[in-house]
Amino acid sequence: MSEPTPDLRYQLPDPTLRIGGKYRRAHEGATYESINPATEQRVSVIAAAGPADVDEAVSAARRQVDGGAWSRVSGAERGRILTRAADLIEADAQTLAALEAVEMGKLFHDSVEGDIPAAAAAFRHFAGWADKVTGTTALLPDFGPQRRFGYTIRQPLGVLGAILPWNNPVLIAAWKLAPALAAGCSAVVKPAEDAALSTLRLAELLAEAGLPDGVLNVVPGLGPVAGAALAAHPGIDKISFTGSYRVGRGIQSLAGDSFRKVTLELGGKAPQLVFDDADLELAMPWIAMGNFYHQGQVCAAGTRVLAHESVVDQVTEGLIEAARQATIGDPFLPMSTMGAIVNARQTEQILRYIEIGRGEGATLLAGGRRLDRPGYFIEPTVFRTTNDHTIAKEEIFGPVASVISFKTTDEAVQLANATKYGLNAMVYTSDLSRAVSVTERLRVGTVWVNGWGVPDPSLPWGGRAASGIGRELGRSGIEGDTEEKTVHIGL
Ligand code: ADP
């Protein structure tokens, strides 16, 4: 605890709404406080958008795609803007990372080295797509005496409504915005309550990169007010949501009523399958990271560690050792390996799950307590459980690992699939055939073999079942932000 937390006051973006390229307060003057979870001190007072503000933001975005300046910008120029944005994001990494750290307790160095370069990579990747969004052509059979041919064009979908989570704010904003802007869409973004400032800063950087005013509008505010107004707004062509299962379900039914496109990424309870032939030296750091990285506040966290009975004790010991070695504390300190839990509500929820685990008879082997100091810090926690314990079934979104033993490959696959979720899974084995065959049987959107980590912008990301609908990133990402039109021509 030797280095002081940097003084960030001079770097805070204006904590207001950003509509049509201008900052302004909410119509009703509503605000909310953002709290630094590592100190429990106030970071800023942020404008809270109401329905009238959201309506204005959607109109600004609509004008840009309905014949406005953005609709006339070529794909090549959109690509240039997104490439410049990637450069500016990289150059601004320290500020963006500091904002993430003060607002939601993420480790500063993890953002500088992880989230922010990955966000820049997403903009750079989709910059390359911007002038390559093409359709197909087909020679059609003659219709009577008439010769015909046909083709498709891919046009921008229109206005994207993006509702963001707080856990990886800049990165997930990039995953939603980069393909949408590359495709020629405009957007209204509702950042999470606990992570609005980094999104506002991102919008400033995109404007500096050359994005016309009104193409990207940011409406911070409360989920049930600003988020709900955006999700229900008839001027939105697609809603892209990352967040909880509970809110996602409501957004899905709203979208269903209005025939609006929707992608939902709703987290998971991902299994990490550790087979008897796994290289544990290689696997253990990934398995631990999959539980404790960012305090376990990751959709892809691998919180069900399914280990073969011959290695389960070793894996459990490895996790206990990783928990023991964690340095929990000030997110700005280079020596910290775990920062703060995002807020008081989430802290209480994690502690409640730990109590439920104990109450149901799961064996607590490490951690389990909140640190006795200001700020929201919870020890990395390891339980031995069955797949049926509540803590092994529900997404906790905290640093709580459940280790579960299995005997056969069939049992491992059955346990892995016995969940309402289906976002991702990890498979640790030295046998390539086993890796491929087990991967085929897992009902998830993504499998990492011998590793755990962030998705790559060149490949799709998304889940099945209660983990959500649709895919972001990769070709699926850009195609999802376009509408395909079929044209038949009689000659
Ligand atoms: P968490 O519980 O992790 O905060 P949420 O699903 O509540 O996850 O939040 C994810 C995002 O959804 C945030 O931006 C939040 O403000 C927003 N949100 C919350 N409630 C609603 C709602 N009823 N309608 C639309 N968005 C919402």
Side-chain angles (χ1 to χ4, degrees):
M1 300 287 159
S2 52
E3 289 180 34
T5 298
D7 179 355
L8 284 163
R9 272 169 301 183
Y10 70 100
Q11 289 172 330
L12 290 183
D14 209 342
T16 58
L17 317 180
R18 189 179 163 93
I19 297 175
K22 296 196 175 52
Y23 288 113
R24 67 163 183 73
R25 295 152 68 89
H27 274 311
E28 288 158 20
T31 57
Y32 69 92
E33 286 195 343
S34 120
I35 303 293
N36 180 340
T39 61
E40 301 179 53
Q41 304 292 311
R42 192 170 84 181
V43 177
S44 186
V45 175
I46 298 179
D53 303 302
V54 170
D55 192 45
E56 216 172 282
V58 173
S59 298
R62 272 249 73 86
R63 279 194 293 277
Q64 284 296 327
V65 285
D66 291 348
W70 189 233
S71 65
R72 293 189 298 274
V73 173
S74 69
E77 180 54 22
R78 293 198 303 272
R80 275 194 288 273
I81 292 171
L82 295 189
T83 302
R84 276 199 294 272
D87 293 342
L88 290 169
I89 290 165
E90 267 168 359
D92 202 56
Q94 303 265 328
T95 302
L96 288 165
L99 292 172
E100 292 198 337
V102 288
E103 280 197 291
M104 53 90 180
K106 190 180 174 85
L107 291 182
F108 175 73
H109 55 86
D110 276 355
S111 284
V112 169
E113 288 154 27
D115 286 51
I116 309 303
F123 278 99
R124 202 160 277 129
H125 177 81
F126 285 102
W129 271 108
D131 61 354
K132 297 173 195 68
V133 183
T134 53
T136 54
T137 57
L139 292 172
L140 303 176
D142 294 351
F143 191 73
Q146 193 176 40
R147 295 197 58 209
R148 297 180 309 149
F149 91 101
Y151 62 92
T152 67
I153 49 175
R154 281 197 173 272
Q155 295 174 303
L157 205 51
V159 180
L160 173 74
I163 301 181
L164 303 180
W166 45 263
N167 61 333
N168 302 91
V170 175
L171 180 58
I172 295 178
W175 288 353
K176 296 190 190 307
L177 290 174
L181 297 173
C185 296
S186 59
V188 177
V189 177
K190 209 299 275 173
E193 290 86 329
D194 292 309
L197 295 175
S198 55
T199 308
L200 286 162
R201 177 70 190 151
L202 182 66
E204 284 175 352
L205 297 173
L206 280 156
E208 200 181 324
L211 206 63
D213 289 345
V215 178
L216 170 58
N217 307 276
V218 185
V219 286
L222 306 182
V225 182
L230 183 58
H233 200 289
I236 294 286
D237 297 287
K238 171 178 169 178
I239 196 90
S240 177
F241 171 82
T242 301
S244 64
Y245 166 77
R246 182 184 56 83
V247 175
R249 210 167 39 176
I251 287 176
Q252 162 78 348
S253 43
L254 273 177
D257 284 348
S258 57
F259 302 104
R260 189 174 305 141
K261 291 204 176 187
V262 64
T263 59
L264 304 170
E265 203 270 68
L266 309 177
K269 192 73 196 172
Q272 307 212 53
L273 293 84
V274 192
F275 287 96
D276 51 359
D277 59 1
D279 174 349
L280 287 186
E281 214 170 303
L282 174 148
M284 243 8 269
W286 290 117
I287 298 168
M289 203 176 173
N291 280 285
F292 304 141
Y293 179 78
H294 194 16
Q295 299 74 261
Q297 303 170 119
V298 182
C299 310
T303 48
R304 287 189 298 143
V305 180
L306 307 176
H308 186 263
E309 59 181 354
S310 66
V311 293
V312 70
D313 288 339
Q314 244 178 303
V315 170
T316 310
E317 269 312 309
L319 272 172
I320 294 170
E321 189 51 31
R324 225 177 261 141
Q325 284 181 5
T327 307
I328 313 166
D330 185 341
F332 284 96
L333 288 180
M335 63 183 281
S336 298
T337 61
M338 288 176 72
I341 302 297
V342 65
N343 57 32
R345 184 171 57 91
Q346 190 62 21
T347 304
E348 281 157 24
Q349 168 151 317
I350 296 166
L351 293 172
R352 195 161 50 240
Y353 271 118
I354 291 172
E355 275 321 299
I356 291 173
R358 282 180 157 151
E360 288 182 1
T363 314
L364 177 65
L365 297 166
R369 282 172 313 201
R370 179 176 174 184
L371 298 198
D372 185 17
R373 54 169 282 183
Y376 309 122
F377 297 96
I378 293 184
E379 292 174 334
T381 300
V382 181
F383 276 102
R384 273 293 283 273
T385 72
T386 68
N387 209 41
D388 295 324
H389 279 107
T390 303
I391 55 168
K393 285 207 289 221
E394 295 184 12
E395 187 181 41
I396 299 174
F397 230 59
V400 184
S402 287
V403 184
I404 299 157
S405 170
F406 69 82
K407 288 188 170 62
T408 64
T409 301
D410 281 350
E411 188 190 1
V413 171
Q414 183 268 322
L415 289 170
N417 286 337
T419 169
K420 68 177 177 183
Y421 289 109
L423 186 57
N424 61 298
M426 282 57 68
V427 175
Y428 300 93
T429 176
S430 304
D431 178 346
L432 188 57
S433 306
R434 173 182 265 161
V436 171
S437 65
V438 168
T439 293
E440 272 174 15
R441 296 169 67 192
L442 294 170
R443 285 198 297 269
V444 293
T446 294
V447 177
W448 276 288
V449 175
N450 293 330
W452 176 88
V454 290
D456 189 274
S458 60
L459 292 171
W461 172 247
R464 297 169 62 156
S467 287
I469 286 179
R471 293 290 179 268
E472 301 181 281
L473 305 180
R475 179 187 288 270
S476 320
I478 188 114
E479 288 185 353
D481 288 328
T482 61
E483 192 72 84
E484 196 166 29
K485 183 180 288 172
T486 302
V487 185
H488 295 256
I489 297 197
L491 300 169

